[in-house]
């Protein structure tokens, strides 16, 4: 769609319904605002310049002034001139960037709002943002899993480059509200840099602050202090729970209000909590309380939520939200057999029609990957990327489109890293999720298919408003082969139709060929007409379009080839189709002008002004089908299409929403070849492209014909005139792009010269725990009570130690009859706890997980005292070194988030324990020292408490000992290994790196710290993770870096871990300007 300008007064015909502006003569009923339609014969639209948008607000009162307003407004409208919009697809791409406030939109129907703003409205088809009908095409991104704010722009640019226009974002209460009364939006916890990056990129945001978010994170995101300090049931209307989340929610409101779409920001909706049933009544009242806080604030955008299943929750009744959404993960989460598919869900549309047909069909979470679990049989994320790979995206995403969904968010688009204590016990450090953008920010094999879909959706405004007509099993669509299943969606204004085809058996790998009866403006007939049929490969879907518009005035009567791009570039209507190189496809379209280039490998037959084009098998690469002064039609195989980009040419920054497609711009170009094209600008006759290269490529550009010079990352490039002549005679540019020779020169430094120190002095005689916390509580708000003991509660969170490693010391007097001790220890799935008496190793209790099976989150073991280990008649000390794997998420048991991490039972075979002492992270959650890295970064190891993991700590007095030598004397215990290395990477390069341990099964656990950040937890006896990506910004690309490994040998035997720094790619480009924020060691509070 092109922007309307006030100077265009041609073609004075009445716009279609979907072109007209919103009628401001609205009403508010039951908290919803319905904008009534007015007879189209009475109203005409006058489009204002985009730079001068007219405000659009519902009147608040309806007295005499209201009547006068209505009368005056209607009279004004009656005398307005009529001007047809110059939208490239006029039927349903609403452009109200500068609309008079009194304009009809949908004859006989109204738009609905929440009564608080008219900048976000909706009908049964889609959202209407600032008067524009918008298809929300979104991906999930959690900024807290990429704790380098400068890199958030990198992710958003990659999201935008794939044709997406939105992201969905959780914020994390446990990080932002680490202790009672503390709300911290500094550093990576900040929202403002994300909102600014979204504005800079042109990305909408659905903000999901919880306070419960699930997200495979500890306690589902609920602040850890809440789990022990709140007695009432979480996620209900309990008064102390309500008091607990108030500060956090008020904080996110304060940060978000100025970034709502109503104030020129990216936030278009806010989600209430996450995946929660509406019953019992305490749940509903909890939602109502959350909603009331928003209603009593300056938040005006709609409130949404996500139903975890087809439960019809939150549509009506107490706590009902403005817009209902359904989450769906049809392939589930076991990546062990990535070639085994579940069938597609077939009742999406009928469920929608049965529960909320008056709203747009919204999927707040649709499967974009899968999480992976601990254990030796866990497959790893590469297998998850196969399970939910390009074929899955093609079949399952298009099945979602066939259900008429118009708000779709893929979870995850970028997963990131669950560093520190972020994970819940069911997942390990990596949260790669098998996403299209990998944890290290590289584009994966899944990305091109999402891009093909994204550019099609961006090019197809007729698709934003469609009726579900029927499918081939219901008799509304006719196919020649019942092995094919086709659903028909049709735009009610333009009659553009979208036949979405898949295999009837969506899991089959067989090839199916069929013909399809279509209804078009030229009549009803069977397609294809000149080739044998439409071919569906195994696990493949296609969209066959009819009466499809492209550019300012061009039409496709039908196409069995797929649409990558449709629009206008430099005054020409441009269409880019693609297909399978092993099969034929066909399109019929109106070709205008005199062709100057016609491609080979195709057959053209013209009749009655329509040209039928047959694309023969074997086409590889890009070919030109039609090149005239009026039109350019291109075709390629699917893989080549996946190498093309369509960066937008944004308006200048004085235009509101300048970077947003449909709002600040409807201009774009085509660029093929580079690894990534981040953005493009045209100044005068120069096209400036910015992006990333990792190899030599042929650059292909289709741009306005007044572009005479092209630059790549600021460097002019020379055209290949001969190659251009085979592409187009107008607006084309072909050149060779090569990364600089510097790309080949990077080699990772070796990690050598390790220094070693013992990090378990707690088991040595003479160690004093006098400054530790006395563990003497006899009551707890955690509902899972101790199993046995003397009534004392030994749960870490009750003493301020809710995460990572916690140490317990139990004092007792021994006699000759003291033979053993029993402990029940709870640490969560895949945990471990090692026990000593005095300085003698007793044993290790192992939690377990084998790919989320055989889960053991607590143990109950008897530990026998070896001869000579006890001091009879004197004080003896039991030391328990326990790993806390995170707090559970909500589940079938009430308050599972209040996980009883610690010792649930303690009992000597004879006698009683004296004092119990406990030590975790220095300062606990109220007085932890590292305010930058935050509350979840450190644990209670001696080395952590002393700050040995931090840059700048002096280890020169430590022993030289290589990490691969393990602990001295093959003992069980904990040692700290520290080394440093330098990096010198020039600006203008993005170099993903990982720290890679040995891929062996040994009885050790290790924690990896890079410049003070805990970036990995390696559990060698379980796996599967042994490679840990670390981002620039944590790594200093130009300076000294400190890496520390806390090595926990769980058995008295030699362990031989190895660690190396590996480079996974070198990309010339990147976003640049990445700052480090890695506070160094200070003795303050550490001694």
């Amino acid at each position: 769609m092109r922007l309307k300008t006030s100077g265009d007064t041609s073609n004075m015909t009445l716009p279609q319904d979907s072109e007209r502006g919103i009628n401001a003569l609205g009403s508010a009923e039951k908290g919803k605002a319905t904008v009534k339609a007015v007879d189209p014969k009475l109203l005409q639209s006058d489009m204002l310049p985009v730079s001068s948008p007219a405000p659009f607000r519902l009147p608040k009162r309806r007295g005499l002034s209201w009547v006068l307003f209505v009368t005056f407004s209607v009279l004004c409208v009656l005398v307005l001139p009529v001007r047809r919009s110059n939208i490239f697809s006029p039927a349903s791409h609403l452009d109200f960037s500068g609309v008079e406030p009194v304009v009809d939109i949908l004859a006989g129907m109204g738009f609905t709002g929440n009564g608080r703003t008219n900048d976000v409205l909706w009908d049964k088809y889609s959202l209407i943002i600032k008067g524009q009908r918008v298809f929300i095409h979104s991906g999930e991104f959690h900024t807290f899993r990429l704790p380098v704010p400068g890199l958030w722009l990198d992710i958003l640019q990659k999201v935008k480059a794939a044709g997406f226009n939105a992201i969905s974002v959780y914020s994390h209460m446990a990080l932002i509200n680490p202790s009672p009364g503390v709300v911290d939006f500094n550093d990576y916890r900040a929202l403002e840099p994300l909102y600014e990056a979204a504005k800079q990129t042109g990305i909408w945001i659905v903000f999901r602050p919880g306070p419960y978010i699930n997200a495979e994170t500890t306690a589902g995101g609920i602040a850890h202090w809440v789990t022990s300090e709140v007695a009432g049931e979480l996620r209900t209307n309990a008064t102390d729970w309500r008091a607990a989340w108030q500060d956090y929610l008020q904080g996110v409101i304060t940060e978000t209000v100025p970034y709502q779409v109503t104030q020129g920001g990216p936030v278009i909706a806010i989600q209430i909590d996450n995946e929660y049933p509406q019953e019992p009544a305490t749940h509903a009242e909890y939602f109502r309380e959350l909603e009331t806080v928003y209603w009593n604030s300056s938040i005006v955008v709609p409130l949404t939520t996500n139903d975890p299943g087809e439960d019809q929750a939150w549509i009506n009744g107490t706590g009902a939200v403005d817009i209902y959404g359904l989450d769906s993960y049809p392939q589930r989460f076991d990546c062990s057999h990535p070639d085994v598919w579940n069938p597609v869900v077939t009742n999406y549309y009928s469920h929608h029609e049965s529960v909320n047909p008056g709203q747009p069909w919204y999927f707040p979470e649709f499967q974009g990957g899968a999480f992976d679990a601990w254990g030796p049989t866990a497959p790893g994320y590469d297998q998850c990327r196969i399970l939910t790979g390009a074929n899955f995206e093609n079949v399952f995403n298009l099945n979602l489109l066939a259900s008429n969904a118009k708000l779709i968010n893929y979870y995850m688009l970028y997963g990131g890293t669950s560093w520190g204590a972020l994970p819940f016990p069911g997942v390990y450090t990596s949260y790669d999720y098998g996403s299209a953008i990998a944890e290290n920010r590289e584009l994966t094999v899944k990305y091109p298919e999402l891009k093909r879909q994204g550019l099609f959706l961006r090019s197809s405004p007729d698709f934003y408003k469609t009726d579900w007509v029927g499918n081939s099993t219901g008799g509304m669509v006719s196919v020649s082969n019942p092995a094919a299943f086709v659903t028909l969606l049709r735009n009610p204004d333009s009659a553009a139709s979208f036949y979405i085809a898949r295999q009837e058996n969506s899991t089959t790998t067989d090839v199916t060929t069929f013909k399809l009866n279509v209804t078009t403006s030229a009549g009803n007939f069977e397609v294809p007409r000149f080739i044998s049929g439409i071919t569906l490969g195994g696990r493949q879907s296609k969209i066959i379009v009819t009466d499809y518009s492209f550019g300012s005035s061009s039409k496709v009567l039908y196409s069995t080839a797929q649409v990558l791009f449709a629009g206008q570039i430099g005054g020409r209507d441009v269409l880019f189709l693609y297909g399978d190189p092993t099969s034929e496809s066909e399109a019929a379209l109106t070709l205008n002008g005199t062709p100057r280039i016609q491609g080979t490998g195709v057959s053209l037959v013209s009749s009655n002004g329509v040209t039928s084009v047959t694309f023969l098998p074997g086409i590889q690469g890009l070919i030109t089908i039609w090149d005239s002064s009026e039109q350019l039609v291109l075709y390629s195989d699917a893989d080549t299409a996946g190498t093309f980009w369509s960066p937008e040419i944004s308006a200048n920054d004085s235009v509101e929403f300048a970077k947003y497609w449909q709002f600040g711009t409807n201009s774009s170009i085509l660029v093929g070849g580079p690894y990534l094209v981040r953005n493009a600008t045209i100044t005068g006759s120069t096209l400036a492209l910015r992006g990333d290269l990792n190899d030599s490529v042929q650059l292909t550009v289709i741009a306005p014909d007044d572009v005479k010079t092209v630059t790549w990352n600021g460097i002019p490039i020379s055209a290949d005139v001969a190659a251009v002549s085979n592409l187009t005679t107008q607006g084309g540019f072909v050149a060779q792009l090569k990364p600089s020779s510097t790309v080949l020169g990077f080699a990772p430094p070796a990690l050598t010269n390790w220094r070693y120190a013992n990090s378990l002095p707690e088991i040595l005689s003479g160690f004093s725990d006098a400054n530790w916390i006395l563990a003497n509580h006899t009551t707890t708000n955690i509902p899972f009570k101790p199993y046995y003991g003397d009534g004392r509660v030994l749960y870490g969170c009750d003493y301020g130690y809710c995460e990572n490693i916690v140490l317990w010391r139990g004092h007792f007097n021994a006699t000759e009859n003291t033979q053993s001790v029993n402990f029940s220890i709870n640490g969560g799935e895949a945990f471990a706890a090692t026990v000593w008496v005095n300085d003698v190793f007793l044993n290790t209790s192992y939690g377990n997980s084998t790919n989320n099976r055989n889960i053991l989150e607590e143990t109950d073991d008897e530990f026998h005292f070896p001869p000579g280990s006890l001091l009879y008649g004197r004080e003896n000390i039991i030391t328990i070194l326990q790993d806390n794997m995170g707090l559970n998420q909500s589940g079938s048991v009430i308050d599972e988030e209040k996980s009883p991490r610690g010792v649930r039972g303690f009992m000597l075979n004879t006698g009683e324990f004296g004092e119990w002492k406990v030590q975790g992270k220095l300062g606990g959650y109220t007085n932890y020292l590292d305010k930058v890295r935050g509350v979840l970064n450190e644990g209670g190891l001696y080395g952590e408490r002393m700050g040995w993991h931090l840059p700048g700590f002096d280890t020169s007095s430590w022993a030289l000992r290589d990490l691969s030598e393990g602990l001295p004397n093959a003992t069980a215990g904990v040692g700290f290994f520290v080394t440093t290395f330098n990096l010198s990477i020039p600006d203008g390069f993005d170099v993903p790196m990982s720290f890679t341990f040995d891929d062996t099964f040994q009885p050790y656990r290790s924690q990896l710290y890079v410049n003070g950040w805990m970036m990995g937890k390696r559990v060698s006896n379980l796996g599967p993770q042994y490679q840990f990506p670390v981002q620039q910004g944590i790594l200093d690309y130009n300076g000294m870096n400190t890496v520390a490994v806390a090595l926990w040998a769980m058995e008295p035997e030699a362990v031989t871990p190895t660690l190396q720094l590996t480079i996974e790619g070198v990309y010339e480009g990147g976003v640049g300007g990445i700052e480090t924020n890695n506070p160094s060691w200070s003795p303050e509070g550490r001694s």
Side-chain angles (χ1 to χ4, degrees):
M1 177 188 69
R2 294 193 312 183
L3 297 172
K4 300 176 176 62
T5 60
S6 57
D8 181 8
T9 57
S10 61
N11 300 316
M12 309 286 256
T13 59
L14 187 68
Q16 297 187 41
D17 292 338
S18 60
E19 294 180 64
R20 285 188 285 270
I22 301 174
N23 167 31
L25 312 185
S27 62
E29 298 176 2
K30 297 181 180 178
K32 307 276 187 179
T34 300
V35 183
K36 301 294 186 182
V38 178
D39 188 332
K41 297 178 181 177
L42 300 178
L43 298 182
Q44 301 166 345
S45 68
D46 185 29
M47 300 302 187
L48 299 180
V50 69
S51 57
S52 304
F56 174 40
R57 298 288 184 270
L58 281 178
K60 295 182 178 179
R61 288 187 288 235
R62 300 186 186 174
L64 177 60
S65 60
W66 168 250
V67 175
L68 292 174
F69 173 79
V70 172
T71 305
F72 176 74
S73 299
V74 173
L75 289 173
C76 288
V77 172
L78 287 173
V79 298
L80 290 176
V82 180
R83 181 155 35 86
R84 189 176 71 180
S85 68
N86 53 349
I87 305 173
F88 67 71
S89 180
S92 52
H93 201 172
L94 301 166
D95 182 355
F96 303 155
S97 51
V99 178
E100 287 285 356
V102 189
V103 189
D104 172 43
I105 283 189
L106 296 175
M109 299 183 66
F111 283 164
T112 300
N114 62 1
R116 295 172 66 81
T117 179
N118 295 317
D119 284 345
V120 184
L121 300 171
W122 58 90
D123 59 11
K124 69 176 184 177
Y125 297 109
S126 71
L127 284 190
I128 311 297
I129 299 175
K130 303 285 285 189
Q132 293 266 26
R133 185 177 293 285
V134 178
F135 186 112
I136 296 298
H137 192 218
S138 171
E140 190 80 15
F141 167 41
H142 302 156
T143 54
F144 55 83
R145 286 187 162 117
L146 181 60
V148 183
L151 289 174
W152 299 348
L153 181 63
D154 175 69
I155 300 300
L156 294 192
Q157 288 181 346
K158 289 168 179 172
V159 170
K160 186 67 174 286
F164 288 88
N165 63 359
I167 57 171
S168 170
V169 178
Y170 282 136
S171 61
H172 202 290
M173 181 189 184
L175 293 168
I176 293 170
N177 184 199
S179 56
V182 176
V183 176
D184 181 2
F185 287 99
N186 293 309
D187 308 304
Y188 66 88
R189 293 165 292 273
L191 294 175
E192 181 179 354
L194 172 68
Y195 294 157
E196 288 292 343
K199 288 176 62 177
Q200 179 181 339
T201 314
I203 290 289
W204 303 115
I205 291 177
V206 175
F207 181 41
R208 308 204 292 167
Y212 182 84
I213 60 172
N214 195 294
E216 288 73 59
T217 189
T218 178
I222 291 174
H224 282 176
W225 63 267
V226 169
T227 65
S228 64
E229 294 197 22
V230 171
E233 184 181 341
L234 306 182
R235 303 179 74 194
T236 70
N237 62 342
T239 56
D240 54 351
W241 164 238
R242 181 170 67 248
W245 53 255
Q246 287 287 340
D247 287 345
Y248 167 69
L249 207 62
Q250 292 294 345
V252 298
I253 287 171
T254 299
E255 296 295 308
T256 302
V257 161
Y259 286 98
Q260 296 176 97
V261 63
T262 54
Q263 300 189 41
V267 179
I268 57 172
I270 293 178
Q271 181 176 296
I272 300 296
D273 205 76
N274 190 84
E275 294 184 335
Y276 206 41
Q278 197 168 2
E279 295 178 349
T282 54
H283 293 191
E285 291 297 334
Y286 164 53
F287 263 51
R288 174 58 60 88
E289 289 171 353
L290 289 169
E291 291 163 344
T292 299
V293 171
Y294 289 114
W295 294 335
N296 289 335
S297 76
S298 296
I299 291 292
V300 297
V301 295
L303 304 179
T304 72
T305 198
N306 52 339
D307 193 347
E310 296 180 356
D311 299 326
Q312 307 180 32
W314 312 111
I315 298 172
N316 300 295
T318 302
V321 296
D322 297 317
I323 300 175
Y324 164 85
L326 173 69
D327 289 356
S328 183
Y329 291 83
Q331 283 291 57
R332 307 309 299 157
F333 305 104
D334 185 357
C335 305
S336 300
H337 306 285
D339 295 323
V340 178
W341 273 22
N342 295 321
V344 297
V345 177
T346 58
N347 74 327
Y348 285 144
Y349 175 74
S350 60
H351 172 70
H352 171 57
E353 286 298 293
S354 68
V355 298
N356 68 326
Q359 292 186 347
W361 193 202
Y362 177 30
F363 282 84
E365 295 180 25
F366 188 77
Q367 187 160 18
F371 64 82
D372 196 36
W374 293 100
T377 62
Y381 283 115
D382 287 344
Q383 298 302 298
C384 295
R385 193 165 283 114
I386 296 172
L387 178 70
T388 61
N391 290 343
F392 168 85
E393 293 172 325
N394 178 245
V395 173
F396 283 76
N397 293 5
L398 266 59
N399 183 63
L400 204 61
L401 296 180
S403 75
N404 219 16
K406 305 300 184 193
L407 293 84
I408 299 173
N409 177 61
Y410 297 110
Y411 188 104
M412 303 287 300
L413 189 53
Y414 171 75
T417 304
S418 290
W419 55 276
L422 273 174
F424 95 115
V427 295
Y428 44 87
T429 300
S430 175
Y431 199 68
D432 178 275
Y433 216 81
S435 302
I437 304 173
E439 179 182 6
N440 65 4
R441 297 179 293 105
E442 288 186 294
L443 307 181
T444 74
V445 293
K446 293 175 59 171
Y447 186 90
E449 174 61 22
L450 285 184
K451 182 171 58 169
R452 287 187 289 261
Q453 295 175 21
L455 294 182
F456 163 76
L457 289 170
R458 198 191 72 181
S459 297
S460 306
D462 276 350
F463 193 77
Y464 304 174
K465 178 186 179 184
T466 58
D467 290 317
W468 189 92
V469 178
N471 58 45
S472 52
T473 61
M476 297 302 295
V477 179
S478 177
V479 293
S480 63
N481 183 348
F485 180 90
V486 180
T487 300
L488 170 59
L489 306 179
R490 178 175 291 131
N491 185 291
D493 299 327
S494 69
S497 296
F498 304 86
Y499 296 83
I500 302 177
R502 62 168 172 84
Q503 303 267 15
E504 171 68 29
N505 174 8
S506 59
T507 68
T508 185
T509 57
D510 295 339
V511 175
T512 294
T513 301
F514 69 99
K515 290 198 171 187
L516 170 70
N517 287 339
V518 297
T519 299
T520 74
S521 56
N524 302 337
F525 47 86
E526 188 177 62
V527 298
R529 295 192 285 183
F530 297 97
I531 61 177
S532 59
I534 302 166
T535 300
L536 289 175
R539 298 180 173 181
Q540 185 181 35
S541 288
K542 291 183 176 180
I543 301 178
I544 297 94
V545 298
T546 65
D547 290 320
Y548 180 86
S549 299
F550 71 97
S552 63
S553 59
S554 296
K555 285 282 189 179
V556 177
L557 182 62
Y558 70 86
S559 176
T560 69
Q562 304 302 283
V563 175
L564 176 72
F565 174 90
Q568 193 171 53
I569 299 176
R572 285 201 296 176
D573 296 347
V574 178
L575 179 68
F576 190 149
L577 301 173
Y578 67 94
D580 301 322
T582 57
S583 60
E584 301 170 300
S585 54
E586 182 177 294
L589 60 163
T590 302
L591 297 177
N592 300 323
T594 301
R596 297 166 295 196
I597 298 175
Q598 284 185 243
T600 58
V602 299
S603 171
L604 281 71
V605 177
S606 296
S607 176
N608 298 321
V610 175
T611 300
S612 296
V613 185
T614 300
F615 305 101
L616 304 177
I619 296 176
Q620 298 274 7
L622 179 68
I623 62 172
T624 302
I625 305 303
W626 188 265
D627 176 53
S628 74
S629 62
E630 300 175 39
Q631 291 176 318
L632 176 65
V633 180
L634 304 170
Y635 181 87
S636 79
D637 63 284
D639 287 346
T640 299
T643 68
F644 269 80
W645 310 86
S646 183
E648 301 163 11
I649 308 299
S650 300
N652 64 65
D653 290 339
S654 64
V655 176
E656 188 180 31
F657 300 104
K659 307 295 185 182
Y660 285 81
W661 185 256
Q662 300 181 231
F663 297 84
T665 182
N666 286 310
S667 298
S668 66
I669 60 173
L670 284 168
V671 182
Y675 168 81
L676 173 65
V677 177
R678 293 181 181 272
N679 50 58
T681 57
I682 297 177
T683 304
S685 61
T686 298
L687 168 64
L689 299 173
R690 302 205 70 86
D692 296 8
L693 283 180
N694 65 337
D695 203 352
S696 298
V697 297
Q698 177 174 286
L699 175 72
T700 302
V701 177
I702 304 296
D705 56 4
D706 55 359
V707 167
K708 306 302 179 186
T709 303
V710 177
T711 65
W712 175 260
N713 291 341
I715 300 173
I717 48 181
S718 300
D720 182 335
V721 177
V724 173
S725 65
N726 294 322
L727 174 66
T728 179
T729 58
Q730 181 178 336
F733 185 91
V734 178
Q736 295 299 313
L737 279 182
K738 287 185 177 181
S740 71
S741 58
T742 310
V743 170
L744 305 176
F746 290 124
L751 301 180
T752 58
N753 298 315
W754 291 93
R755 296 281 181 166
Y756 166 80
N758 175 37
S759 185
L760 196 66
E762 292 89 351
I763 67 173
L764 301 179
S765 61
F767 180 85
S768 173
D769 58 21
N771 293 325
W772 287 23
I773 298 293
L774 180 63
N776 62 354
H777 294 185
T778 57
T779 62
T780 179
N781 289 323
I782 295 172
F784 310 100
K785 305 307 180 185
Y787 294 128
Y788 52 86
D790 58 14
R792 281 177 288 183
V793 177
L794 304 186
Y795 296 164
C797 216
D798 277 328
Y799 302 96
Y801 306 129
C802 299
E803 55 274 328
N804 295 320
I805 287 175
V806 176
L807 291 104
W808 302 89
R809 280 167 60 92
H811 299 246
F812 67 98
N813 287 318
T815 70
E816 289 81 354
N817 295 323
T818 307
Q819 302 293 320
S820 64
V821 63
N822 278 74
F823 290 119
S824 178
I825 303 173
N826 183 298
E829 182 176 341
F831 89 102
T834 302
V835 181
W836 290 262
V837 61
N838 302 318
D839 62 354
V840 177
F841 169 79
L842 296 182
N843 214 334
T844 294
S845 290
Y846 293 95
N848 193 35
S849 171
T850 52
N851 194 22
N852 267 344
R853 298 178 178 87
N854 307 310
I855 292 172
L856 188 66
E857 72 169 28
E858 65 181 24
T859 57
D860 192 359
D861 292 324
E862 183 178 15
F863 298 82
H864 291 273
F865 299 127
S869 62
L870 296 180
L871 304 172
Y872 297 136
R874 296 167 55 188
E875 183 180 69
N876 295 263
I877 298 175
I878 289 280
T879 301
I880 303 174
L881 174 68
Q882 177 210 345
D883 202 356
N884 178 345
M885 304 300 286
L887 305 186
N888 292 349
Q889 300 181 130
S890 286
S892 57
V893 178
I894 291 173
D895 275 349
E896 280 194 54
E897 306 94 326
K898 297 181 179 181
S899 305
R901 301 293 185 247
V903 182
R904 294 194 71 182
F906 56 93
M907 183 174 61
L908 293 162
N909 74 301
T910 182
E912 301 290 338
F913 276 99
E915 284 188 340
W916 275 98
K917 292 292 193 75
V918 60
Q919 179 65 63
K921 169 176 58 264
L922 203 62
Y925 60 65
T926 55
N927 294 302
Y928 61 95
L929 297 181
D930 194 339
K931 305 302 185 188
V932 171
R933 299 176 183 90
V935 70
L936 299 185
N937 189 59
E938 295 178 7
L941 287 174
Y942 183 81
E944 292 177 295
R945 304 194 315 263
M946 295 298 103
W948 294 351
H949 59 296
L950 296 172
F953 182 82
D954 184 6
T955 62
S956 60
S957 64
W958 290 15
L960 280 167
R961 184 178 184 84
D962 195 77
L963 176 63
S964 63
E965 297 180 79
L967 301 190
N969 304 315
T971 56
V974 180
F976 246 74
F977 293 80
V978 178
T979 191
T980 60
F981 61 92
N982 282 295
L983 290 175
S984 180
I985 298 176
D987 292 340
F989 286 88
D990 189 1
V991 185
M993 301 186 203
S994 290
F995 289 83
T996 305
F997 284 90
D998 54 289
D999 184 15
T1000 62
F1001 286 89
Q1002 302 183 59
Y1004 77 80
R1005 303 167 80 90
S1006 61
Q1007 294 180 169
L1008 169 71
Y1009 309 85
V1010 179
N1011 291 326
W1013 298 78
M1014 190 201 294
M1015 296 307 299
K1017 183 175 288 189
R1018 165 81 170 126
V1019 180
S1020 183
N1021 66 301
L1022 283 179
Q1025 187 175 7
Y1026 61 92
Q1027 187 171 37
F1028 298 85
V1030 177
Q1031 310 287 349
Q1032 181 185 8
I1034 303 298
L1035 281 170
D1036 187 342
Y1037 268 25
N1038 288 280
M1040 178 79 72
N1041 293 269
T1042 299
V1043 56
V1045 174
L1047 177 63
W1048 174 358
M1050 296 182 290
E1051 301 289 345
E1053 61 182 72
V1055 293
T1056 57
T1058 61
L1059 183 66
Q1060 58 183 331
L1061 181 64
T1062 55
I1063 290 178
E1064 292 155 13
V1066 178
Y1067 301 92
E1068 190 173 42
V1071 292
I1074 305 303
E1075 298 178 356
T1076 60
N1077 188 12
N1078 303 324
S1080 59
W1081 181 82
S1082 166
E1084 185 176 353
R1086 295 280 181 186
S1087 59

